[in-house]
Amino acid sequence: MSERTDESTRKDTDAPDAPTAEAVRAQLARILDSSKLQGSQRRRDLLSYLVEETLAGRSDQIKGYTVALAVFGRAETFDPSADPVVRLEAGRLRRALDTYYVDADEDDTVRITIPKGAYVAHFEWLARGEPLRSADNRIQSATDGGEDDARSAGTDASRWPIALNSGARRTGTIALLLAVALLVVAALSWLWPRVETPDVADAYGPVIMVLPFEALNPDEETRLIANGITQDVIHDLMRFPDLRLYSVQASFRENAGADPVALGETLAVSYVLRGNVQSDPGKLRLRAQLVDASTGEVIWSGGYDRAPDPNDLLGMRSELSASVATALGEPFGVMNAATGRRLAARNAPSMASYACVLRAYEYRRTFEDALFVPSLSCLTEVVVRNAGYADAWAMLGWLNLDAARQDMVPVEEHPAHLAAAQDAASRAVTLDSGSQRGFEALAALAFNEGNYAEAERLQREALALNPHDPEALAQLGWRLAARGHWDEGLPYLEQAIARSADPPGWYFHAISVHEYLEGNYADALAAAQRSAKFGSAIGLSLAAISYAGLDQMEAAGDELAMMAKAWPLLARDPAAAYASFQVDDQIIAALLKGLHDAGLVLPATTNR
C-alpha cells in the first residue's frame, strides 16, 4: 500500500470552511462513545491517534511505520510487509466509520474519514439533510482496505493447497474426501454472491436486524422495559463473533411491524428478530420470533416468563435479553443452524468463507471423520483468500490441534499440525484482540501442552468476552473437571447445557465420568448416551463402562465394538487416548478399570 500523503487531506484544517478543531474533537468523542467502536480498543486508539496527528498538522509524518509503533506497540524492527496490522486495522476502521454515518443524527456535525491510500484523517461538515446512502451503497466487501485480505470469492480448485498428507488415516477414503471438498467449496465460491452489510466490522456471517420489541400494555413502564430489552438483545448478540447486526439507532428507525421480507430486499438483512413484552399480574412475558428475511418464514420462536422485581428491573431485563441472545447466537444455536441450511440450499447471499467456518463448527460438534478433511482443507483456502478473517484462523487452529490430538494424521505429522495450530490461533488474536474463538483455541493449545494455569487464564478471558456463550462455559468447565476440580467445573458444564438449545455430546463427558465415579451408573449412562448418539468414541467408551456398572454386559460389548471402530486407538491403548486430552491420572485409572470390567482386554503397557 502506498504511504503517500494526499495534499488535499494535509490542508483540511487550513481551509476556511473546514470544521474547527473543537468541532472535530466533539465529533470524535461521539464516535468513540458509539457501539461501532466500543468493541475494539485498537480501533479506538487508531482513530484518536490519526485525528489528533492530523489536527496537529503532522499529516506528513503519519506513516504505517509510525502508526505501528505509536498505536500498536510494535518494536522499531517493525516490518509492514511481514506484519499487516496497520493496513488491516485501517480497513476495519474505515468500515466502522462508514457504518457509524449510516446512523448519523442531528447531533453529528462533522464527517471524519480515513481516505484510502494514506492514514491521514479527513474532516468535512456533515450537511444537514444529507441523504443516507442507498442500500446498494451500504453493501461493502468485508475485505475492503486490507491488501492481505480477500481477492475474490471465486477460486479454482486446482489452486487449493492440500492441507493433509494423504498417508495413513482412519479410513481409506482420504483422496476422495479431499476431491469432494475441493469441488464443493469451489462451487460455493462461485454460487454464493458476496453480500456484506456494514455493522460489526470485520465479522463474516448472517446479518440480523432486531425490530423494536412491542409493548402490549399501554403503560409507560412496560414500554420502557420493551425498549430496554431491545437494546440489551442487540448488545448481547453483538458479543457473538459470527453475527452482524444493524445498530440500536437503525433498529429503532424501523416500525415494530415492519415487513421482514421488505427489509431483506432493501437492506440485505438475512434475519429479522421481532417480539413483544406484556405485563400481567405478577408476571412479565416476553415473546420473540426469528424470521427468515428471504422467505418470511418463522424459523424460531421463544417465550420467557419472569416474576418482575421492582428492585431489580435491570437484572430482569439482562436475564431476558441474555436468554434470547444465547438461543440465537451460540455456535451451535438457531442462527448458525438456519444459515447452514440456507447455504446448503443455495438460496441466500453469503460468503463461502463463512460456510467453511460453519462446516468447522459442525465437525467440532460431532467429530465425524468424514467432516474433518473438508473442513480443514476449506479453512486452509479461506485464510489464503481472506487473510484478515480472525474466526477462520481460530477454527484453523482448532482443527490442526484436533489433527494431532484426535489422531487424525500419522504420529510423525503431529508436531507440524500442532505448530500450525499455534500459529493460526495466535494470528486470530493478533488480527482481532477481541477474538473469543482465538482465545479459546490458544487455551486449548496451552491445556494440550500441560500448561493448565495458562489454559484456564485464557479460557476465562474468552468467557469474559461473552459470558452468555455455552461453548465458552463448557470449555472452561470440561478442563476444570478433567483435572479433578469437579466442584468448580461441573456447574459451568451444567450452565452450558441449560443455555444450549441442542448441546454437543462432549458437554456431557465429564458429567458421565463424575456420575460413574460416584457409583451412579444409570445417570452416567444417560449422560454418556447424549454423546454416543453422535458416534463419539469417548461417549461410546463411557456408555460401555456404565453398562458394565449396571451389569448389562452384552450392551457393554456392543458399545466397545462401536468404540473400537470409531477410534481404534481408544481400543488399542485407551490410556494414551484419554491422556491425549490431559485427563488426570487418577481419573484415567478409574476409566481403565471400567473398560476392563466392560470386557476390553487392556495392553500390558500403555503409550503414556
Side-chain angles (χ1 to χ4, degrees):
M1 177 179 288
S2 169
E3 298 280 355
R4 67 178 175 81
T5 302
D6 211 340
E7 190 68 21
S8 64
T9 59
R10 183 184 302 174
K11 299 298 184 182
D12 281 340
T13 55
D14 297 332
D17 58 349
T20 64
E22 181 182 7
V24 170
R25 289 191 174 100
Q27 184 65 45
L28 173 64
R30 283 181 55 78
I31 296 173
L32 294 177
D33 194 45
S34 77
S35 61
K36 305 301 181 297
L37 275 81
Q38 282 292 323
S40 175
Q41 187 61 44
R42 286 154 64 104
R43 252 151 275 165
R44 291 163 55 83
D45 293 343
L46 178 58
L47 179 60
S48 297
Y49 176 82
L50 298 180
V51 169
E52 291 297 338
E53 288 297 289
T54 303
L55 288 174
R58 294 190 287 267
S59 297
D60 57 341
Q61 298 178 31
I62 305 177
K63 308 291 186 183
Y65 179 82
T66 56
V67 172
L69 270 61
V71 179
F72 301 115
R74 296 302 196 258
E76 293 183 358
T77 56
F78 172 74
D79 179 3
S81 64
D83 184 349
V85 61
V86 180
R87 295 196 299 273
L88 292 173
E89 288 296 340
R92 293 168 183 150
L93 177 58
R94 291 183 183 105
R95 294 194 297 275
L97 289 172
D98 284 344
T99 300
Y100 177 86
Y101 285 106
V102 167
D103 297 324
D105 58 32
E106 63 275 6
D107 293 325
D108 292 296
T109 59
V110 175
R111 182 184 293 276
I112 300 175
T113 57
I114 313 296
K116 292 181 183 179
Y119 301 124
V120 179
H122 177 89
F123 317 121
E124 61 184 354
W125 291 111
L126 189 63
R128 292 300 92 206
E130 178 180 330
L132 295 176
R133 289 176 295 163
S134 67
D136 288 341
N137 288 334
R138 295 164 98 182
I139 297 173
Q140 302 176 359
S141 166
T143 58
D144 177 38
E147 290 180 354
D148 294 325
D149 279 354
R151 273 62 170 177
S152 168
T155 184
D156 179 45
S158 65
R159 295 189 284 113
W160 271 51
I162 302 301
L164 295 174
N165 182 293
S166 60
R169 298 295 187 274
R170 285 192 238 175
T171 70
T173 59
I174 187 73
L176 177 60
L177 287 172
L178 276 171
V180 171
L182 302 185
L183 291 173
V184 169
V185 180
L188 295 179
S189 300
W190 288 105
L191 290 172
W192 294 331
R194 296 161 53 85
V195 178
E196 300 292 335
T197 55
D199 220 338
V200 193
D202 82 17
Y204 297 51
V207 182
I208 181 170
M209 171 160 296
V210 180
L211 294 178
F213 279 34
E214 184 180 5
L216 298 184
N217 299 69
D219 59 277
E220 180 69 5
E221 180 176 303
T222 304
R223 186 187 69 81
L224 291 174
I225 291 174
N227 287 348
I229 290 175
T230 304
Q231 297 180 56
D232 290 348
V233 167
I234 292 172
H235 291 146
D236 286 345
L237 284 171
M238 281 183 174
R239 292 173 179 256
F240 290 94
D242 302 317
L243 306 182
R244 292 173 298 149
L245 287 99
Y246 277 88
S247 66
V248 173
Q249 296 95 325
S251 291
F252 275 93
R253 280 207 300 266
E254 302 293 340
N255 186 281
D259 180 13
V261 175
L263 292 174
E265 293 173 349
T266 59
L267 299 180
V269 173
S270 306
Y271 303 100
V272 172
L273 179 67
R274 62 190 181 192
N276 58 64
V277 176
Q278 181 176 1
S279 294
D280 292 332
K283 183 182 294 185
L284 187 76
R285 306 172 66 89
L286 170 67
R287 298 293 178 265
Q289 291 182 332
L290 186 70
V291 181
D292 187 326
S294 66
T295 65
E297 176 189 3
V298 176
I299 58 176
W300 172 85
S301 61
Y304 307 89
D305 296 340
R306 295 291 185 274
D309 181 354
N311 298 318
D312 190 21
L313 290 178
L314 287 177
M316 181 186 63
R317 263 179 44 185
S318 178
E319 183 182 351
L320 288 169
S321 67
S323 298
V324 174
T326 299
L328 298 180
E330 63 164 315
F332 312 112
V334 173
M335 193 72 69
N336 278 346
T339 302
R341 290 193 296 269
R342 290 181 63 172
L343 296 180
R346 301 178 183 174
N347 67 346
S350 187
M351 292 183 64
S353 298
Y354 182 59
C356 286
V357 172
L358 286 182
R359 177 179 292 149
Y361 282 153
E362 182 60 20
Y363 161 72
R364 297 215 76 255
R365 173 181 172 77
T366 63
F367 294 101
E368 291 183 20
D369 285 1
L371 296 176
F372 177 77
V373 172
S375 299
L376 182 58
S377 298
C378 189
L379 286 171
T380 301
E381 168 65 10
V382 166
V383 297
V384 172
R385 190 171 64 231
N386 300 127
Y389 191 177
D391 276 356
W393 282 109
M395 295 308 294
L396 187 60
W398 270 112
L399 265 68
N400 273 292
L401 170 61
D402 287 339
R405 185 178 58 178
Q406 301 269 32
D407 200 32
M408 302 297 288
V409 297
V411 173
E412 61 270 19
E413 295 180 20
H414 287 190
H417 280 278
L418 289 173
Q422 187 69 46
D423 176 70
S426 298
R427 288 269 194 113
V429 175
T430 298
L431 288 166
D432 182 358
S433 59
S435 172
Q436 177 191 340
R437 304 290 175 238
F439 278 111
E440 288 174 345
L442 287 174
L445 284 159
F447 191 80
N448 186 68
E449 293 169 357
N451 193 346
Y452 307 128
E454 177 66 3
E456 182 178 341
R457 183 191 70 79
L458 288 166
Q459 188 59 40
R460 288 188 185 280
E461 193 160 348
L463 184 59
L465 289 168
N466 189 353
H468 307 312
D469 188 355
E471 177 82 355
L473 289 163
Q475 291 286 351
L476 179 57
W478 187 92
R479 294 196 189 108
L480 289 167
R483 301 305 306 162
H485 304 300
W486 301 108
D487 290 345
E488 188 176 8
L490 291 179
Y492 281 114
L493 286 164
E494 289 163 356
Q495 287 181 59
I497 291 168
R499 291 185 177 185
S500 182
D502 186 16
W506 67 264
Y507 284 19
F508 297 89
H509 287 170
I511 293 174
S512 177
V513 171
H514 184 256
E515 294 294 347
Y516 172 77
L517 294 177
E518 293 293 311
N520 302 322
Y521 302 130
D523 291 338
L525 177 61
Q529 287 176 329
R530 294 293 297 268
S531 175
K533 73 176 182 179
F534 294 108
S536 163
I538 298 293
L540 291 166
S541 76
L542 298 176
I545 290 169
S546 302
Y547 274 124
L550 293 167
D551 201 26
Q552 298 181 32
M553 301 309 296
E554 183 176 354
D558 291 342
E559 299 294 319
L560 287 178
M562 289 187 287
M563 176 198 79
K565 184 176 181 180
W567 191 5
L569 176 65
L570 191 51
R572 186 175 68 250
D573 192 349
Y578 289 135
S580 68
F581 294 96
Q582 302 298 316
V583 177
D584 180 77
D585 286 344
Q586 291 185 345
I587 297 175
I588 292 178
L591 294 176
L592 293 178
K593 180 182 183 302
L595 288 173
H596 177 267
D597 293 344
L600 183 69
V601 178
L602 300 177
T605 60
T606 59
N607 298 322
R608 292 289 301 279

